[in-house]
Each structure stands twice: as C-alpha cells, then as structure tokens.
Amino acid sequence: MDLLQNLQNIRNSLPEDVTLVAVSKTKPVAMVEALFNGGQIDFGENKVQELLEKQPQLPSQIRWHMIGHLQSNKVKYIAPFVHMIHGVDSLKLLRVINKEGEKNNRIINCLLQLHIASEETKFGLSEQELMDIILAGEWKEMQFVNIRGLMGMATFTDDSEVVGREFRNLKRIFDNVRSDHLKDKADFTVLSMGMSADYKTAIEEGSTMIRVGSLIFGPRKSL
Ligand SMILES: *Cc1c(COP(=O)(O)O)cnc(C)c1O
C-alpha cells in the first residue's frame, strides 16, 4: 500500500474548493508525518487522548481537526492547539469552547453537528435545535468561538440513495441557515460531510470538506 499514492489519487478526484481532512485515528505518527511531507496539512482524530499523544510528536504546522464526539470536560486539553472542532452539538459545549479559547487567547473554529442519519446512535442536533442555537444569538457574543459551518454523518449503508438523500438534507439546512440568518457572516462556508465510503456522493451533494481515513491509511483493525 502506497500512502502518498492513495493521497494523490483522492486529491486528483477532488474539486478545488473541497478540503481533504486525512483521518489518522489508530494509525502511527510515522504515517502522518509521511503524508505531511507529501503536502497534507489537515488531519483528523476522533479521540482526545489519541490527539494529545500525537500532536506533540508531529510538526506544529499540522491543522488538527477534532472530528469525534467531544465531552465538555476535555475541551481544555485540545484548546491550545486544535484547528477545528467538528462535533459541536450543544450550546453548553460551545460555551466551554469559548471559555477555553479565551484562556488560550485563541479563536477556535467550530462546526455544528447535525443528526441526519436514521441510526439513533449518532450524535448531533436536530434541525430545530440548530435553529434554536442560531436564533438565540448567544454565539455572536462568543469572542473565542467562530462557527464556520455544519457537519454531518450519513447512515452506514451501501444504499447510495439513502446516503444521497441525507446529504442533500444537510445541504438544504446549510443553505437555509446561511441565507436566512447568516447572510453577513462571510466565513460560514464549511459543510463537512463525506467519508471513505461516501465522499463522492457527498461532493455531488455540495460538501466542502471530506473526512477520509481508510481510503488513505488502509483499513483499521476493528475493535
Ligand atoms: C473515522 C471517521 C471518519 C473516517 O472514516 P473512514 O471510513 O475511514 O474514511 C470520518 N469522520 C468521522 C467522524 C470518523 O470518526
């Protein structure tokens, strides 16, 4: 398996305005370093512990994306360096991120996670809960949080129609929020959707950021 070739193959298939986050969870730092040397800057991890182990061993230019579910009490550990938090699913979490951002004097990029899949196990806000957060407006006062867009995960299924429908729904919500409530927020531009199995569908449906692991790094050992 050739890591850099995998990376290049995916890059070549992406429209210019789509950002690739290489998801390095369970994979060794040597692989991350090889990809970084090949020009990849954005990397994603889904566990705070693993992120904290890897980050100090790797170049500081790497932009680390926290893509998994994040507990409030762990924000403080990643606030000093994290580039973007994808899984923000409550106002409470947003407040904690703001507080920890302030302590570190850093503005932390956040994506609000929507629950778009039919599985109940996946995290995320309902459309109504998203609207409640946006309309309440408290986020506008948060000087150390920047809401850059939305994130979502489709149902784990081979049925590309189901996946396509879910991504289309997320894109609709994204467009509506933007045009109805965030017209003046020029940097609300990120729609994080699509993984190894469904990133092509996601791009067709308007994704601007894909999170790809196994297609670059090879399969992970199942737990
Ligand atoms: C693991 C993970 C990915 C990448 O999964 P692959 O199928 O390996 O591409 C993307 N997003 C999240 C939130 C993940 O946890």
Side-chain angles (χ1 to χ4, degrees):
M1 190 201 59
D2 186 340
L3 264 184
L4 290 171
Q5 191 59 55
N6 294 346
L7 178 69
Q8 208 48 56
N9 290 346
I10 296 173
R11 283 232 189 105
N12 291 342
S13 75
L14 298 183
E16 240 174 74
D17 54 351
V18 174
T19 302
L20 169 63
V21 177
V23 178
S24 49
K25 63 191 187 195
T26 79
K27 301 295 180 179
V29 289
M31 288 175 108
V32 176
E33 191 148 31
L35 290 166
F36 174 78
N37 291 333
Q40 177 64 26
I41 296 177
D42 292 278
F43 290 88
E45 290 285 339
N46 72 334
K47 294 207 167 74
V48 169
Q49 186 58 42
E50 192 173 347
L51 186 48
L52 291 178
E53 274 168 36
K54 286 177 175 168
Q55 189 267 343
Q57 302 181 57
L58 285 157
S60 60
Q61 299 95 311
I62 287 182
R63 295 196 292 238
W64 287 105
H65 296 248
M66 176 63 203
I67 62 173
H69 185 65
L70 179 59
Q71 289 169 279
S72 303
N73 60 357
K74 295 195 173 160
V75 174
K76 59 178 176 285
Y77 301 116
I78 62 172
F81 65 87
V82 71
H83 173 69
M84 183 174 274
I85 298 175
H86 288 230
V88 180
D89 60 357
S90 72
L91 188 54
K92 179 185 163 220
L93 182 56
L94 212 51
R95 286 179 186 138
V96 173
I97 296 169
N98 188 50
K99 194 179 78 187
E100 297 300 331
E102 179 168 19
K103 283 186 196 160
N104 290 279
N105 196 27
R106 298 183 70 232
I107 297 170
I108 299 177
N109 296 305
C110 291
L111 303 179
L112 298 174
Q113 182 174 0
L114 269 283
H115 185 280
I116 54 167
S118 54
E119 295 130 314
E120 299 217 340
T121 48
K122 287 187 177 149
F123 294 100
L125 302 159
S126 67
E127 187 172 358
Q128 187 57 54
E129 289 167 333
L130 170 72
M131 286 306 169
D132 290 347
I133 290 177
I134 296 292
L135 292 174
E138 185 180 331
W139 60 271
K140 292 179 196 164
E141 315 298 322
M142 297 181 183
Q143 290 181 55
F144 299 91
V145 157
N146 189 359
I147 301 177
R148 299 291 311 278
L150 304 181
M151 179 268 208
M153 292 172 82
T155 301
F156 185 70
T157 170
D158 288 337
D159 189 339
S160 61
E161 246 174 72
V162 170
V163 172
R165 199 186 317 133
E166 291 171 355
F167 285 152
R168 217 168 303 133
N169 187 39
L170 181 55
K171 168 75 162 131
R172 175 189 61 78
I173 296 170
F174 177 74
D175 287 343
N176 285 350
V177 166
R178 195 154 54 152
S179 63
D180 293 352
H181 306 291
L182 302 174
K183 250 206 203 79
D184 300 328
K185 185 163 168 44
D187 61 2
F188 186 87
T189 54
V190 180
L191 183 54
S192 168
M193 61 182 196
M195 313 177 19
S196 291
D198 56 21
Y199 82 90
K200 288 188 175 142
T201 306
I203 288 169
E204 282 167 20
E205 301 300 342
S207 171
T208 71
M209 186 174 275
I210 58 172
R211 310 175 309 270
V212 176
S214 40
L215 219 51
I216 300 173
F217 291 91
R220 291 177 294 275
K221 291 190 196 83
S222 53
L223 299 172

